[in-house]
Amino acid sequence: MDIEFNKNEDLMKQWVTQLNAKWEKVKLGGGEKRIAAHKAKGKMTARERIDYLLDKDKPQMEIGALVADGMYEEEGGCPSGGVVVIMGYIAGRQCIVVANDATVKAGAWFPITAKKNLRAQEIAIENRLPIVYLVDSAGVYLPMQAEVFPDKEHFGRIFRNNAVMSSEGIIQIAAIMGSCVAGGAYLPIMSDEALIVEGTGSVFLAGSYLVKSAIGEEVDNETLGGATTHSEISGVTDNKYPNDEACLDAIRRIFEKIGHFEKAGFDRATPALPRKDMKEIYGILPADRVKPYDMREIIERLVDNSEFDEYKALYGKTLLCGYARIDGWAVGIVANQRKMVKTKKGEMQMGGVIYSDSADKAARFIMNCNQRKIPLVFLQDVTGFMVGSKSEHNGIIKDGAKMVNAMANSVVPKFTIVVGNSYGAGNYAMCGKAYDPRLIFAWPSAQIAVMSGASAAKTLLQIRVAALEAKGQKITPEEEAKLLEEITEIYNNQLSPYYAAARLWIDGIIDPLDTRKVISMGIEAANHAPITKRYNVGVIQV
């Protein structure tokens, strides 16, 4: 191995170590003291409940583990948004589990908590996956209620989704394992079946203090809305259980009897590992993100047997398109080529940039994948579309629009991995979050923004200096240098994949070695949802 490879490998290992350290901290939720207090009540933690419920011999994938990272610091933080969302298997059935973490602000709902719950439901709806809610929440975080309560994508949308999912035949099972208050009380009761744990589970529209202040009635919470009340008197819950374990065992028994699902029919052969060593990805991806590399080398370490059947290999070479298998599943891959390429006309094209010919090729390839019912995988390391008079005269906007149209209207499931850069309109064309990928994850090497840090900082500096000069203020070269440094630091922080993961612009950050698992589980989930919509790109300028 050469010096450059070793340097790249060392940096990626550092990034992965940093990711694992963040992950270990996130797993502690509200911290060890709050975990101890929670367990003293006889309750399992959110993660313990999920671990107990899910099959041990099957893979798991967490959605939004790094949500709220660095956010709400003035409120004491909200690790993972106060809710844990994991895709896994119960009795062999693939599903989504959503568990409130009562060690984080008593499981109260911050704005990002609502967004994360809606993302979990979105995944269940798109893939027609059963979803389990393990409820233990004090309800809306009142100091921020205006950002959680009234809007379309706020708290109330969750109950709307409950109703829609029920009408669509998507299975929803809820277990009330702690507090379940006010509007939040509707979530478990709008599910297909509502279970409750004796002594710790309670559900009511208003707690005892509010009842007393509202109507003067004195009543304790257990009598008001405990397990006995709702399982034997009101009939609100279906069955009660003596502890968390018994309740979770009951959910497993429900899943054991669920009927088989109608499949979309995506092709799967016997899975095979790549022939080339996956760990070499660490050394191939340059530490310096402006340096070129051959994306084929990455692809061949992700796909079965390292076999990649390239489409139009000699045309539009800044985008790689081709067919492969990942963990047995047939996929169509669209990936940014990061090395400099030369066209047949002798023109040099920059890696990571989408040109007219590459956009044209990708649009046709995406259409073919839809025609053949092959899921799409996008590997992003893109700096944007080519600019300048030559590109404009060649119709780059028209060709770029054609690619975006073909991708946006795809009816086959799409999966996006942000490998490196994800800038501007390139993010859009390569199936960024706005274009409904079933899953979108990033490697620690990712950067997501309108443009690179250096370009953005210089542009922002020019704007700031012009504004100061318009007010009659003169700025010295030293002050300008300091201002550039400050702007660069702020912008680079926003470029970080952790910034994106905190706000759920991506579903999470993964070790590159977990990429195959994410895509495989994603396609298996998508196979639960038969394609019912005809592929139609509408009006395209050709």
Side-chain angles (χ1 to χ4, degrees), residues 229-348:
T229 294
H230 285 313
S231 295
E232 300 182 32
I233 299 172
S234 72
V236 166
T237 54
D238 299 307
N239 283 298
K240 64 178 182 178
Y241 299 90
N243 52 46
D244 284 5
E245 291 87 348
C247 186
L248 296 168
D249 288 339
I251 294 174
R252 288 192 65 84
R253 291 195 296 273
I254 291 170
F255 267 74
E256 286 168 356
K257 299 171 183 67
I258 291 174
H260 293 278
F261 60 91
E262 189 179 346
K263 295 181 180 179
F266 304 123
D267 187 68
R268 192 179 197 186
T270 303
L273 291 172
R275 282 201 304 270
K276 296 186 177 181
D277 188 355
M278 288 181 64
K279 291 180 181 176
E280 289 176 356
I281 290 173
Y282 285 13
I284 293 168
L285 200 67
D288 183 348
R289 64 182 54 252
V290 302
K291 284 193 174 181
Y293 66 93
D294 190 347
M295 180 62 89
R296 284 188 191 85
E297 295 295 332
I298 300 288
I299 293 172
E300 288 171 356
R301 285 161 178 80
L302 292 176
V303 301
D304 293 12
N305 294 315
S306 299
E307 293 174 352
F308 180 55
D309 297 323
E310 200 166 341
Y311 174 79
K312 289 183 183 282
L314 302 177
Y315 175 74
K317 292 188 280 188
T318 65
L319 278 176
L320 300 177
C321 298
Y323 306 100
R325 290 188 183 275
I326 293 179
D327 200 33
W329 294 104
V331 295
I333 295 174
V334 181
N336 300 108
Q337 174 58 289
R338 277 302 309 272
K339 70 177 186 179
M340 292 283 288
V341 299
K342 191 175 183 180
T343 70
K344 186 66 175 175
K345 294 178 181 179
E347 298 170 348
M348 297 304 296

Side-chain angles (χ1 to χ4, degrees), residues 476-483:
T476 67
E478 292 77 16
E479 289 171 334
E480 188 171 317
K482 185 180 179 184
L483 195 54

Side-chain angles (χ1 to χ4, degrees), residues 337-390:
Q337 174 58 289
R338 277 302 309 272
K339 70 177 186 179
M340 292 283 288
V341 299
K342 191 175 183 180
T343 70
K344 186 66 175 175
K345 294 178 181 179
E347 298 170 348
M348 297 304 296
Q349 294 183 339
M350 293 184 289
V353 178
I354 301 174
Y355 290 77
S356 285
D357 55 355
S358 47
D360 177 68
K361 175 174 82 171
R364 179 70 179 270
F365 178 74
I366 290 166
M367 292 178 194
N368 272 332
C369 288
N370 276 274
Q371 182 85 336
R372 300 172 193 176
K373 201 190 282 188
I374 299 174
L376 286 159
V377 173
F378 293 84
L379 301 178
Q380 288 194 8
D381 195 346
V382 58
T383 51
F385 285 87
M386 191 57 192
V387 296
S389 61
K390 187 173 181 179

